[in-house]
Amino acid sequence: MSILIGIIFLGVLVFLHELGHFLAAKLSGVTVEAFSIGMGPVLLHKEWRGTDWRVSLLPFGGYCAMKGEQDFEEHYNGNAQIDRDSFYGVKAIFRAFIGFAGPLANFLFAVFAFFVIALTGYTYYSAGNTIRLVTEEYPELHSAAADAGILSGDKILKINGTETADFSAIYTEVATHGDEDILLEVERNGETLQFTVHTDLNKNTGEGKIGVMSDPSSVEAREAPRYGFFGAVGQGFTQSARLVYLSLKGIATLFKGVKVSESVAGPARITNMLGETAKSGFSAGFREGCVSVLQFMALISVSLFIMNLLPIPILDGFLVLTSIVEAIFGLKVSPKVRNSVQYVGIALIAFLFVLAMSGDFHYFSELLHAKK
C-alpha cells in the first residue's frame, strides 16, 4: 500500500513538471503532440485538442512530446522548411522558456505546499531546548559541544542567529551544518553565553551533530505558528528558497566523504518513504497528515527543480543554457558537439541511477532483514 500511495503522489509531481512544459509550449506557439504520465508502452490514451494524452506502463517519469523536437540538425543548418509551430520553429528564448517551465512548476508547487502549511499550521511533538551531553550516557561517543565548553542543563537559545525554541529546531539547524563552525547562544544559570562549536559529520547521512541529547521528560505538543494570507505567501517563497539552498549544500556535502549509497535515495526508496510518510502522518490526524505529505512532496519538488536544471544533456538545464546562449550571442551548438556531450550526460545519469538503485537495494535488504 505504501508503494501505491507513493506512486500516486510522485505521479502528481511528474504531472506538474510536464504540465509546466506543456503550458509553456502552448504559450510559445509550439504544437504538443503527446503528453504522458509514465514511460514505456502506452496503456491508455485519448486525443484531445491536438494532443494525445497518455498513461504509460512504467509509473516513474513522463514526457511532453513537442512537434519537431528531433529537428536539431535542420535547425543548426538553418533549414527554412522548419514549421513555425515546431520546437525549433520558435525563437531560442521561447525554447529556454519551455525548458525552464518544467522545473519552475516543481518549485512553484513547493511554494504552494509551504503556503498551505503556513496558512493552516500544525501540531508537532518535541522536547524543550535544554540539553544533556551525549557522553553522560554514552561515554564512548564524541561530543563537540562538550569540547566547546557546553554543559548538561544548558539551554540552547539560538544557533547562528536562528532561534531554537525546542530540540527539533536544534536538530534541524545542527543537521544542516556538518563539519562546520556554528555559533551557539546558550543560557546558563540566567546568564547568556556564546560558544563556537565545530560540528561532526555523520558519514552515513551527511548530517551534522554536536553530541547533545534532549530531555525526554520535556516532550510536549507544540503548535507551529499560523500566518495570514500574505504572510503565508511570504513563507511559501522563503521556505522554498531555503530548501533550495539546503539541497545545494547537501550536494556539496557529498564531496566530504559521505557514503553516497547511503545518502542518495533512488525512485523505489523515495516512493516507499513518501507512502510511509502519508500513512504515519494521517494516522496522527488529517491536518498532520496533510502537512507531512506536503513537506515531503515539497522536498522532492525542490530536488526535481535542482536536478532538472543541471546543465547536462537530456536534462532541461542543458536546453535552457544552450538556448540562452543562442538567444544572446547567436551561437548554436553543433550536432557533433551536442551528440558527444550527450553521450557523457547519458553515462553520468546512468551512473547516478545505478548508484541510487544500489542504495535502494541495500536499504530494502536491511529493512527486510530487520523484520525477520
Side-chain angles (χ1 to χ4, degrees):
M1 181 58 74
S2 296
I3 295 293
L4 179 60
I5 294 172
I7 287 174
I8 292 172
F9 285 123
L10 275 180
V12 171
L13 298 182
V14 171
F15 172 78
L16 292 174
H17 180 93
E18 298 303 329
L19 184 63
H21 290 312
F22 175 84
L23 294 175
K26 287 292 187 180
L27 289 172
S28 302
V30 176
T31 296
V32 179
E33 296 177 332
F35 185 100
S36 176
I37 297 299
M39 304 291 286
V42 177
L43 298 178
L44 301 170
H45 74 102
K46 182 176 180 58
E47 189 167 333
W48 183 63
R49 293 193 175 185
T51 300
D52 190 33
W53 297 82
R54 304 170 178 173
V55 176
S56 299
L57 178 63
L58 303 177
F60 304 109
Y63 58 87
C64 175
M66 289 165 275
K67 182 179 179 180
E69 279 187 281
Q70 308 305 319
D71 295 340
F72 181 80
E73 291 195 23
E74 287 81 356
H75 166 68
Y76 178 78
N77 294 323
N79 190 334
Q81 301 303 314
I82 297 178
D83 295 334
R84 291 188 177 183
D85 65 338
S86 67
F87 187 69
Y88 286 103
V90 298
K91 293 181 179 180
I93 195 64
F94 288 116
R95 293 198 299 277
F97 171 53
I98 293 170
F100 182 68
L104 177 62
N106 288 128
F107 178 78
L108 291 179
F109 174 82
V111 172
F112 171 76
F114 285 121
F115 161 77
V116 172
I117 292 170
L119 198 65
T120 61
Y122 59 95
T123 302
Y124 67 100
Y125 289 84
S126 176
N129 56 0
T130 300
I131 59 90
R132 296 181 300 146
L133 297 176
V134 72
T135 49
E136 287 189 358
E137 194 164 334
Y138 306 98
E140 71 279 8
L141 297 181
H142 176 247
S143 175
D147 291 347
I150 292 175
L151 305 176
S152 290
D154 286 348
K155 182 181 292 187
I156 299 178
L157 305 176
K158 294 182 181 179
I159 297 179
N160 287 343
T162 300
E163 291 189 9
T164 50
D166 51 49
F167 196 80
S168 176
I170 295 172
Y171 173 82
T172 299
E173 287 302 315
V174 172
T176 55
H177 293 87
D179 193 23
E180 295 179 27
D181 285 337
I182 57 175
L183 181 63
L184 272 63
E185 189 172 302
V186 169
E187 181 183 305
R188 179 186 297 168
N189 299 325
E191 183 181 2
T192 300
L193 306 171
Q194 290 189 338
F195 298 89
T196 298
V197 181
H198 188 84
T199 63
D200 293 324
L201 178 66
N202 186 325
K203 293 297 181 69
N204 289 326
T205 64
E207 296 177 341
K209 54 183 182 178
I210 57 173
V212 299
M213 298 187 301
S214 64
D215 177 7
S217 65
S218 65
V219 174
E220 61 181 32
R222 303 169 190 270
E223 279 290 325
R226 293 189 184 186
Y227 295 82
F229 180 84
F230 293 105
V233 170
Q235 280 294 303
F237 281 99
T238 300
Q239 294 301 325
S240 297
R242 182 173 184 271
L243 196 52
V244 170
Y245 166 73
L246 292 177
S247 297
L248 291 173
K249 194 172 182 180
I251 294 173
T253 303
L254 297 177
F255 298 94
K256 293 184 177 181
V258 174
K259 293 181 180 179
V260 179
S261 61
E262 295 288 337
S263 54
V264 176
R269 197 185 333 180
I270 291 173
T271 303
N272 183 69
M273 290 169 65
L274 184 50
E276 288 294 336
T277 298
K279 286 176 61 179
S280 60
F282 282 107
S283 67
F286 181 77
R287 187 175 62 156
E288 286 68 27
C290 288
V291 167
S292 296
V293 171
L294 286 173
Q295 286 178 330
F296 198 65
M297 290 181 72
L299 174 61
I300 298 173
S301 283
V302 166
S303 298
L304 289 172
F305 169 74
I306 294 172
M307 182 189 72
N308 278 286
L309 284 180
L310 294 176
I312 299 173
I314 79 171
L315 295 181
D316 297 324
F318 185 76
L319 169 64
V320 173
L321 176 63
T322 54
S323 297
I324 289 176
V325 169
E326 182 180 336
I328 297 175
F329 303 105
L331 300 175
K332 299 178 182 178
V333 178
S334 72
K336 183 177 180 180
V337 171
R338 181 177 183 267
N339 291 336
S340 298
V341 175
Q342 188 161 320
Y343 290 136
V344 176
I346 291 173
L348 178 59
I349 294 297
F351 171 74
L352 292 175
F353 181 78
V354 170
L355 192 65
M357 291 302 291
S358 65
D360 284 2
F361 179 78
H362 178 71
Y363 169 80
F364 284 111
S365 295
E366 287 193 342
L367 198 64
L368 289 172
H369 181 73
K371 290 181 178 180
K372 290 182 179 179

